[in-house]
Amino acid sequence: MEVLNYPETTFEKLPVVIFEHAAQGAIRIAQEIAGIIRHKQQKGKKAVLGLATGSSPIGVYQELIRLHQQEGLSFANVVTFNLDEYYPMQPDELQSYVYFMHEQLFDHVDILPENIHIPDGTLAIEQVKEYCQAYEQQIKDCGGLDLQLLGIGRTGHIGFNEPGSASTSVTRLVKLDPLTITDAAKDFIKEEFVPLRALTMGVGTIMKARRIILMAWGESKARILQQTVEGRISDEVPASFLQNHPNVSVVVDQWAALELTRIKTPWLVGMCSWDDNLIRRAVIWLSLKMQKPILKLTDEDYKDGSLSDLLVEAGNAYNLNIKVFNAIQHTITGWPGGKPNSNDAQRPERAVPASKRSLVFSPHPDDDVISMGGTLLRLVDQGHEVHVAYQTSGNLAVFDDDARRFADFALDFAEKQQLGVAQMRQEHAAVVEFLKHKKLGEEDSLLVQDIKALIRKGEAMAACRFCGVQEQHIHFMNMPFYETGQVKKKPLGEADIEETIAILQQIRPHQIFAAGDLRDPHGTHRICLDAIFAALARLKGQEEWVEDCYLWLYRGAWQEWDVQEIEMAVPISPEELLRKRKAIFKHQSQKDSAVFPGNDKREFWQRSEDRNHATAKLYDKLGLAEYEAIEAFVRYRF
Ligand code: F6R
């Protein structure tokens, strides 16, 4: 297990432990919990645990289950109090925290049912106050919480103590913050279905725990984590109240730590050992901070920006400026497949072979055009053999209403053409019947899943045709890990890897483009990427083409690479941007409003264009050429 150790810093007001991977952090937390349970057991006492739900604790619970099943850890002496529950909420609903806790932990360990406490979302409103007081009393009667496990919301909430919560607040009914509601929408299918209120332990309740562990994984938590750890104590970020607790640890992965000063701008914290990468980061940071193009930065600017030691090492600003400017300049290419008959020593891609086999992996059926549509168009226009492999069916992200519309179409068509009408009527009736009775968040019938997958397949085909990708070069993988019919996916399996190997062997690409959401510990994109990594690792040393293959990573729909990371920047002209937009429009089921819009109200094409404009603007600000838009890639050396 690797813990990334950094020097103590004056910026951080809470003890933070950074792990390279979320899974390592989760194991460390589970070990501590197991230690408390065993210690109490030896003394013949109960261990009283405050538990959280959401995506953050899942890894911890998995490790606790493993410890129970493989190492004999018993939960017979464990009493639990969960932080919160939506209100109103029935315990058997898929979104309830009762359902979550049983599925993720309680059903797999030997905890006694009478020792489980989860706030009751079924109460009548007039019972709530008394119930909350009793919840507090129950915790006290058990001797208080030995440990409270916490995740953190993007509003800075702990439990459901949203901004504005008092440090002394107790268990109560609260209103959820609009941002929390948006984040919860993924579990409730639509934002309108998310309850507006919740029952939650108070900040004061949490602060009484003898030990607190706050965990955060993934880049989406980086900003709020920085405010919690480095900001002043304020009810605007309720998690910052933890700074007043004497025994708290913050456990994070490297991505959630990204905004901490020691990680983001280590030169502000202490002496650095400078390498090319760090120099590039520092100079770009300085240029943006001083609002000056790189080539105009002076010795004085370096000194004012706490970069004197870098200046000493490099001699003067001029040398540093030129070095970094040239490095960024060399990332720009209008030839993402390499420029034929040219010196490629300073270019991101090789000149030879002039015509390449390019394989674009797209986790969902629209990530290719959303994230790299301009580059895809260029590759086709420049005569490369472009293949697109859609890794999952994406059937989950289609509205029921669209499935019904296509089922109607299929029946109408069959009736009009007199084709297998009787059977089509049966299938159509089955779809109508299923959708009529479908519960919120319920898994679709296989028939409905099929229709939804076909809708997305048709859209991807249309987008590829529009971009000029040949039909025989379009591949639909339907990776099995995705096909659960639910938001929750299976872990990456052997069949997924084998399918990825098969497609790689078939195409033997010179270059691969893949969604590189390395910073997201969960989610479909990460699993799809892991499948590619696993497949390439197995093929390496076995097949010659692998040695010669470049793997380029694009970011998913949500974010762009940080400018200092970019290794290939493909400029997109205004006309190309318009063509890219039209390709994205082919994905009609995702248009106007998507089933999973995430936490961004803009449509996919708008996010994509905004992001491409922003990258171009950044290059411009740094003093490079001014383009309409830029798509960005990082090369992964496997
Ligand atoms: C859950 C809870 C919340 C979550 C927070 C983070 O019981 O109280 O505070 O911990 O919203 O959620 P995830 O882990 O899903 O990002």
Side-chain angles (χ1 to χ4, degrees):
M1 188 188 304
E2 191 178 345
V3 183
L4 300 178
N5 283 312
Y6 291 87
E8 295 272 312
T9 102
T10 46
F11 288 85
E12 291 171 21
K13 296 163 188 139
L14 279 166
V16 183
V17 191
I18 304 172
F19 286 84
E20 195 174 353
H21 301 295
Q24 297 164 337
I27 289 172
R28 175 64 70 84
I29 295 170
Q31 280 167 349
E32 179 169 340
I33 295 174
I36 293 175
I37 297 174
R38 288 195 178 111
H39 177 73
K40 289 277 181 162
Q41 227 160 33
Q42 279 160 10
K43 291 178 144 185
K45 289 190 173 164
K46 292 204 157 68
V48 187
L49 304 177
L51 299 181
T53 55
S55 60
S56 305
I58 291 176
V60 177
Y61 297 152
Q62 280 171 352
E63 176 62 9
L64 285 174
I65 294 168
R66 193 197 66 76
L67 287 170
H68 169 71
Q69 290 173 344
Q70 295 177 14
E71 297 184 21
L73 177 69
S74 170
F75 285 71
N77 72 322
V78 173
V79 179
T80 63
F81 288 89
N82 261 80
L83 277 167
D84 41 22
E85 175 62 285
Y86 292 109
Y87 182 86
M89 179 57 70
Q90 295 299 318
D92 58 347
E93 284 185 63
L94 295 175
Q95 296 79 11
S96 84
Y97 286 167
V98 174
Y99 186 93
F100 175 97
M101 285 309 301
H102 281 273
E103 197 193 19
Q104 297 296 337
L105 181 64
F106 297 149
D107 288 354
H108 313 282
V109 295
D110 60 342
I111 189 164
L112 303 172
E114 60 271 29
N115 286 346
I116 296 172
H117 305 86
I118 302 176
D120 183 356
T122 68
L123 298 171
I125 191 80
E126 55 277 11
Q127 297 172 297
V128 165
K129 197 164 173 206
E130 204 177 316
Y131 176 85
C132 290
Q133 283 166 356
Y135 201 73
E136 290 275 332
Q137 192 57 45
Q138 277 177 311
I139 299 175
K140 269 194 208 130
D141 292 347
C142 289
L145 300 167
D146 291 309
L147 178 139
Q148 177 63 56
L149 192 59
L150 296 174
I152 181 168
R154 287 190 311 137
T155 57
H157 70 213
I158 44 177
F160 276 134
N161 294 286
E162 300 288 14
S165 298
S167 61
T168 50
S169 52
V170 290
T171 305
R172 67 207 187 285
L173 184 65
V174 293
K175 224 176 121 200
L176 295 178
D177 188 278
L179 184 59
T180 301
I181 292 179
T182 309
D183 283 350
K186 64 180 186 314
D187 301 322
F188 287 86
I189 309 297
K190 266 190 177 175
E191 231 174 88
E192 298 96 280
F193 300 147
V194 181
L196 299 176
R197 293 187 286 180
L199 294 166
T200 182
M201 280 187 199
V203 178
T205 326
I206 293 169
M207 292 292 279
K208 280 192 209 132
R210 284 182 279 280
R211 167 92 174 121
I212 296 178
I213 299 180
L214 175 77
M215 58 199 154
W217 324 120
E219 193 182 6
S220 65
K221 300 290 170 73
R223 188 159 297 279
I224 196 65
L225 187 88
Q226 186 271 340
Q227 290 172 21
T228 300
V229 170
E230 298 188 356
R232 61 186 176 82
I233 299 173
S234 142
D235 66 359
E236 283 161 35
V237 180
S240 67
F241 287 126
L242 296 175
Q243 292 178 22
N244 279 331
H245 192 280
N247 189 12
V248 54
S249 288
V250 178
V251 181
V252 301
D253 66 0
Q254 56 177 322
W255 309 118
L258 270 181
E259 291 288 327
L260 295 179
T261 307
R262 63 165 137 155
I263 306 291
K264 192 172 182 182
T265 47
W267 47 88
L268 297 180
V269 175
M271 298 294 278
C272 296
S273 52
W274 294 101
D275 59 17
D276 283 353
N277 190 19
L278 198 60
I279 292 174
R280 189 161 147 182
R281 273 173 59 190
V283 174
I284 290 174
W285 171 82
L286 188 68
S287 160
L288 296 174
K289 181 180 152 76
M290 297 292 171
Q291 299 186 359
K292 275 185 177 182
I294 291 173
L295 292 176
K296 286 191 180 171
L297 292 171
T298 61
D299 283 15
E300 222 38 55
D301 292 328
Y302 278 87
K303 283 179 203 153
D304 290 350
S306 305
L307 286 167
S308 312
D309 64 320
L310 175 58
L311 202 58
V312 171
E313 206 159 296
N316 56 42
Y318 184 83
N319 289 344
L320 279 166
N321 295 350
I322 285 283
K323 182 180 161 103
V324 174
F325 180 86
N326 283 343
I328 303 176
Q329 176 76 20
H330 292 148
T331 63
I332 303 174
T333 181
W335 300 85
K339 185 170 185 184
N341 309 316
S342 69
N343 178 353
D344 58 9
Q346 304 283 10
R347 289 177 180 278
E349 254 298 352
R350 302 141 297 168
V352 180
S355 170
K356 293 193 172 58
R357 284 186 300 277
S358 308
L359 171 57
V360 177
F361 278 111
S362 182
H364 299 98
D366 54 357
D367 290 308
D368 53 343
V369 282
I370 289 173
S371 298
M372 55 166 290
T375 305
L376 183 70
L377 284 162
R378 280 204 174 212
L379 288 168
V380 174
D381 291 350
Q382 290 169 358
H384 301 287
E385 183 182 311
V386 180
H387 293 255
V388 185
Y390 296 101
Q391 290 166 289
T392 71
S393 70
N395 61 12
L396 210 62
V398 177
F399 287 112
D400 291 346
D401 187 47
D402 283 335
R404 170 65 199 262
R405 191 158 59 89
F406 276 83
D408 289 353
F409 171 86
L411 178 58
D412 285 351
F413 187 75
E415 284 179 345
K416 187 119 200 284
Q417 305 297 321
Q418 299 287 307
L419 297 167
V421 175
Q423 185 159 11
M424 191 58 93
R425 276 196 192 129
Q426 256 181 29
E427 306 275 280
H428 181 266
V431 170
V432 173
E433 197 53 21
F434 173 80
L435 292 177
K436 205 155 84 192
H437 301 293
K438 183 178 164 182
K439 283 208 294 194
L440 179 64
E442 189 187 338
E443 190 177 320
D444 279 325
S445 67
L446 289 179
L447 193 55
V448 173
Q449 285 182 35
D450 272 352
I451 295 174
K452 291 185 172 179
L454 286 175
I455 291 173
R456 299 215 67 181
K457 182 178 176 197
E459 292 169 347
M461 295 285 289
C464 274
R465 270 196 303 273
F466 178 83
C467 294
V469 178
Q470 294 183 20
E471 288 209 3
Q472 69 272 25
H473 295 159
I474 310 172
H475 312 267
F476 292 93
M477 297 171 65
N478 294 328
M479 281 165 69
F481 85 86
Y482 181 90
E483 299 301 318
T484 59
Q486 298 174 0
V487 174
K488 195 173 153 203
K489 307 293 183 298
K490 284 184 265 184
L492 181 66
E494 190 53 31
D496 303 303
I497 300 171
E498 274 169 20
E499 219 183 318
T500 312
I501 291 178
I503 203 139
L504 285 165
Q505 283 176 320
Q506 181 194 335
I507 298 166
R508 292 177 296 111
H510 298 102
Q511 53 171 194
I512 297 170
F513 292 86
D517 290 291
L518 297 164
R519 299 171 174 188
D520 169 16
H522 323 284
T524 298
H525 282 214
R526 182 67 226 219
I527 301 178
C528 285
L529 185 62
D530 285 343
I532 298 170
F533 286 160
L536 286 171
R538 289 195 202 170
L539 290 170
K540 200 174 161 139
Q542 308 284 320
E543 308 207 4
E544 235 171 71
W545 63 267
V546 183
E547 310 304 322
D548 239 10
C549 178
Y550 278 19
L551 172 55
W552 293 104
L553 302 182
Y554 60 85
R555 297 291 310 267
W558 323 107
Q559 273 148 320
E560 189 50 277
W561 297 108
D562 288 338
V563 63
Q564 65 269 12
E565 296 173 290
I566 296 173
E567 291 180 82
M568 178 157 72
V570 181
I572 312 291
S573 71
E575 286 77 17
E576 281 169 328
L577 202 62
L578 214 59
R579 281 171 75 201
K580 170 176 172 170
R581 187 191 297 179
K582 286 188 180 155
I584 298 174
F585 281 178
K586 297 292 175 195
H587 293 274
Q588 286 174 346
S589 67
Q590 308 302 302
K591 184 91 190 64
D592 301 329
S593 69
V595 176
F596 296 105
N599 39 44
D600 190 329
K601 301 278 181 224
R602 291 168 301 167
E603 283 193 40
F604 288 120
W605 67 272
Q606 289 168 318
R607 291 178 212 186
S608 157
E609 283 185 18
D610 288 352
R611 155 182 159 180
N612 297 160
H613 285 309
T615 311
K617 197 106 227 104
L618 261 176
Y619 267 60
D620 179 30
K621 275 192 189 158
L622 296 173
L624 291 117
E626 185 179 350
Y627 293 102
E628 170 73 10
I630 287 180
E631 285 178 348
F633 303 87
V634 163
R635 191 172 152 211
Y636 190 86
R637 289 157 179 88
F638 49 93

